[in-house]
Amino acid sequence: MKDFWIEKKEKKVNKRKIFISVIIVLLLIFVLTIIIIYNTNDDFKKWMDKAVLNKEVFQDTATVIELEDENSEVYAFNKNIAVLSKNKFKIYNNLGNKDVELDMEITNPIFCSSNRFIAVGEKLGQKLYVIEDNKIAWETDIEGEISQIHINKNGYVAVVVTGTSYKTVISMFDNKGTLLFSKYLSSTRLADVSISNDNKYLALAEIDTSGTVIQSSVKVVSVENVQSESEKVYKGQANSLIVNIKYQDNNRLVCMYDDSIHIIVDDKDEVLTNYDNQKITFSSIELNNNVVNVKEQSSGLFTADSIVSITNTNDKSVKNYTAESVSKEIYTYENVIALNLGSQIEFINTDGWLIKRYIAKQEITNTVISNSVAGIVYRDKVEIINL
């Protein structure tokens, strides 16, 4: 029997792999350190936003759309800026190039958009257009006077009509322009409407002022069984004035009152936020799965900050953002919140991160936003901010 001796050879160290691994670890440590400092040091965050991330845009340096008519109506949707003037609806892309020009018999428009759809109606008129992917999908004439329109992400439309024998009529159309049904209100005033993302429910926010106290209520109508199924009604607190409603994901219906924000889900009406003892200056529920409240907080003898609280309607988590000035107005759309600070606008997302900061030479009075683009509207031009 032979014995076999195995010689142990010394393994060669792969210096190249070790070098690459060390570099990767150091880079990860460096990036993590930068992120931590960015989130904890305001001065460093401002420097990064300006010098490295290029989040600041100045007036006269952005892409411009020239306005030929001072009475032009401007609207942002999807990745586009639309300009309505003299019955022409011109759609520009985010580079400022005109893509489409549509004929539209509207002079005093009401806009509403969602996903790739936009509805345009003549305020206190009869004309209604629905645009899908920059083309007119359908149009119709409404009996009565259009006072409000709502479109969901699938192109279903609810039109609120006045000027008929009823106090208010709500007509619902599918994405082909077929009238599904109409609801009639004889005594209550309609504050808002919303269609669920699955097209199954129409919610109505009603206000009854006939009694000694104001009574707000939310009525949910089944689209599929509108004739046979009874409506579900959720009454608000006495003297609480309902302002706005919006369906979010999973049929969560968010309801904004003048003193609180509620969520109706699984037939339960629960309070999400309450304004008691809070100096809330602005609120909005026009977001994807979030609501936002803005309040002032003193930062000095004659100065104040705007504290933005963004509440997730799914898990109730709250994210905060601080703007070092008092907000004059806010604009919201899907995942974007824009704070008008006078001569400056800060665009933040629903995670509380700054997207862009626009700095003007004058007071900003008109801004339009979508989830991808914003337009700063001046008398003779629109400056485009890509978000």
Side-chain angles (χ1 to χ4, degrees):
M1 184 176 181
K2 293 182 179 180
D3 293 332
F4 292 91
W5 298 89
I6 301 174
E7 294 183 0
K8 294 183 179 179
K9 295 182 179 180
E10 184 178 346
K11 292 183 179 180
K12 291 184 178 180
V13 176
N14 192 327
K15 295 181 179 180
R16 186 171 180 271
K17 285 186 177 180
I18 292 178
F19 177 76
I20 292 173
S21 298
V22 170
I23 292 298
I24 291 173
V25 171
L26 290 175
L27 281 174
L28 289 174
I29 293 172
F30 175 76
V31 171
L32 183 61
T33 302
I34 292 295
I35 292 173
I36 292 172
I37 297 174
Y38 182 85
N39 285 317
T40 56
N41 189 306
D42 289 338
D43 291 334
F44 180 75
K45 179 185 284 189
K46 290 177 184 177
W47 177 82
M48 281 283 291
D49 287 343
K50 182 177 180 180
V52 179
L53 301 177
N54 294 319
K55 290 187 177 182
E56 288 193 352
V57 180
F58 292 87
Q59 184 178 346
D60 297 333
T61 63
T63 303
V64 170
I65 299 171
E66 301 289 346
L67 297 179
E68 299 174 359
D69 180 9
E70 292 184 10
N71 297 317
S72 297
E73 297 286 346
V74 181
Y75 189 74
F77 69 101
N78 206 355
K79 297 179 180 180
N80 307 303
I81 299 288
V83 178
L84 177 62
S85 174
K86 299 177 181 178
N87 293 338
K88 298 293 183 181
F89 191 76
K90 301 174 184 178
I91 300 175
Y92 297 82
N93 60 30
N94 61 347
L95 300 177
N97 300 319
K98 185 172 71 173
D99 286 340
V100 180
E101 182 174 310
L102 306 172
D103 292 324
M104 194 172 286
E105 297 176 20
I106 287 182
T107 55
N108 188 20
I110 303 173
F111 297 105
C112 185
S113 65
S114 183
N115 198 9
R116 65 183 191 276
F117 297 94
I118 175 173
V120 187
E122 178 73 46
K123 187 175 183 180
L124 301 181
Q126 286 74 46
K127 272 291 182 182
L128 174 68
Y129 296 83
V130 172
I131 298 168
E132 179 183 1
D133 294 327
N134 294 356
K135 296 178 182 178
I136 295 177
W138 57 273
E139 60 182 274
T140 190
D141 290 313
I142 303 295
E143 292 185 12
E145 299 176 343
I146 299 173
S147 63
Q148 189 177 347
I149 54 177
H150 171 79
I151 191 166
N152 77 348
K153 67 178 185 178
N154 300 314
Y156 280 61
V157 180
V159 184
V160 180
V161 181
T162 57
T164 68
S165 56
Y166 290 90
K167 192 177 186 71
T168 306
V169 179
I170 305 97
S171 297
M172 184 165 171
F173 299 83
D174 68 11
N175 53 10
K176 303 299 182 183
T178 303
L179 177 64
L180 300 178
F181 63 87
S182 293
K183 297 292 294 181
Y184 303 92
L185 305 181
S186 57
S187 58
T188 56
R189 180 167 68 86
L190 191 71
D192 198 13
V193 296
S194 186
I195 304 170
S196 62
N197 291 335
D198 60 6
N199 316 319
K200 291 184 177 180
Y201 300 101
L202 172 69
L204 312 176
E206 299 181 42
I207 303 171
D208 186 354
T209 57
S210 60
T212 55
V213 297
I214 295 174
Q215 180 61 63
S216 297
S217 61
V218 177
K219 185 182 295 181
V220 177
V221 180
S222 170
V223 174
E224 296 176 346
N225 304 302
V226 65
Q227 301 299 334
S228 58
E229 188 172 302
S230 61
E231 302 160 342
K232 295 180 180 178
V233 179
Y234 304 87
K235 289 190 175 183
Q237 295 291 324
N239 281 327
S240 286
L241 186 66
I242 195 161
V243 179
N244 195 8
I245 57 175
K246 179 177 173 59
Y247 267 111
Q248 298 186 352
D249 287 348
N250 300 319
N251 285 337
R252 290 193 303 272
L253 180 58
V254 185
C255 309
M256 185 168 77
Y257 294 82
D258 60 349
D259 56 3
S260 59
I261 295 177
H262 292 225
I263 299 179
I264 297 174
V265 61
D266 297 330
D267 293 333
K268 295 180 181 178
D269 185 348
E270 20 179 283
V271 178
L272 180 66
T273 60
N274 201 304
Y275 300 163
D276 288 347
N277 303 318
Q278 296 188 63
K279 190 180 179 182
I280 302 294
T281 53
F282 298 102
S283 294
S284 176
I285 62 175
E286 295 295 331
L287 292 164
N288 282 351
N289 304 318
N290 286 273
V291 303
V292 61
N293 292 308
V294 181
K295 62 181 178 181
E296 293 181 18
Q297 180 175 285
S298 177
S299 58
L301 188 58
F302 300 107
T303 58
D305 295 337
S306 293
I307 309 299
V308 183
S309 296
I310 306 159
T311 304
N312 186 290
T313 56
N314 183 31
D315 59 17
K316 312 299 189 297
S317 62
V318 180
K319 295 180 175 66
N320 293 311
Y321 176 87
T322 300
E324 296 178 349
S325 188
V326 175
S327 296
K328 314 292 183 185
E329 194 173 0
I330 68 168
Y331 317 90
T332 56
Y333 188 88
E334 292 187 356
N335 296 312
V336 178
I337 302 162
L339 307 172
N340 186 340
L341 306 175
S343 59
Q344 179 174 301
I345 291 187
E346 295 190 1
F347 300 92
I348 64 174
N349 61 25
T350 48
D351 288 324
W353 288 80
L354 178 71
I355 305 171
K356 286 285 176 67
R357 178 182 289 112
Y358 176 84
I359 301 172
K361 302 173 184 176
Q362 62 203 75
E363 288 285 314
I364 300 167
T365 58
N366 190 3
T367 301
V368 294
I369 71 166
S370 73
N371 209 40
S372 303
V373 68
I376 312 300
V377 185
Y378 296 101
R379 181 180 56 83
D380 57 351
K381 65 179 179 179
V382 181
E383 295 205 354
I384 300 175
I385 312 298
N386 288 301
L387 304 177

